[in-house]
Amino acid sequence: MSTVHELRPKAAADSEKITINLGYVDLGHIDLMVQEGFYSNRTDFIRTAIRNQLERHADVVRQSVARKTLDLGLRHYSRADLEAARDSGALLHINVLGLASIAADVTPELARAAIASVTVLGALHTSPEVRAALADRTR
């Protein structure tokens, strides 16, 4: 009998792992800042630096989001969403800055029948089969 109880269900990750290459001197500067107690670790420093740059350019980003008519944040497309688009004949143009996800029960055929284009600045979570079916529509 297990004594472990899940307090909340596991959700999709709210972040994406990336890899960067840094010069040794830059890396040394980061390690010095960590060693001096300004940051708890390298990741904390890099995450803070990225957030500072995003804040510095926030006005330009807001203007671009508005101009490109991007959905900002998390946008999930269910099987019902795609079936409704297909049935109405109004193909979807997915434009997301953040995370776009397509439900696991969406078939490649339904995705091709319902989605005209996909532009995601961030991450697209979908099955490998749907991703392959939309490859020629993804920018």
Side-chain angles (χ1 to χ4, degrees):
M1 178 175 201
S2 174
T3 59
V4 176
H5 301 283
E6 189 173 349
L7 297 177
R8 68 176 187 209
K10 292 181 183 176
D14 63 349
S15 63
E16 183 103 0
K17 183 177 274 192
I18 63 168
T19 302
I20 61 171
N21 295 318
L22 291 174
Y24 298 118
V25 174
D26 291 337
L27 191 57
H29 282 113
I30 293 170
D31 286 344
L32 180 62
M33 299 293 285
V34 170
Q35 188 179 53
E36 293 295 318
F38 290 100
Y39 301 93
S40 59
N41 54 43
R42 290 175 174 177
T43 300
D44 183 32
F45 174 90
I46 294 166
R47 192 178 293 123
T48 301
I50 290 169
R51 287 183 182 138
N52 288 340
Q53 286 299 307
L54 291 172
E55 186 174 319
R56 182 177 177 190
H57 300 288
D59 289 339
V60 173
V61 170
R62 269 192 292 279
Q63 292 169 9
S64 292
V65 167
R67 187 178 66 250
K68 296 178 183 220
T69 61
L70 295 166
D71 289 336
L72 186 60
L74 306 175
R75 181 68 168 93
H76 179 72
Y77 295 89
S78 68
R79 181 182 188 96
D81 294 333
L82 272 62
E83 288 171 342
R86 177 198 61 202
D87 295 346
S88 72
L91 295 181
L92 296 174
H93 294 274
I94 297 174
N95 297 303
V96 175
L97 188 152
L99 172 65
S101 63
I102 299 173
D105 62 349
V106 170
T107 64
E109 297 76 24
L110 175 57
R112 287 196 60 80
I115 300 171
S117 66
V118 179
T119 301
V120 177
L121 302 170
L124 172 64
H125 288 186
T126 190
S127 70
E129 296 81 12
V130 168
R131 185 181 299 275
L134 296 174
D136 63 331
R137 300 170 189 202
T138 302
R139 290 181 229 133

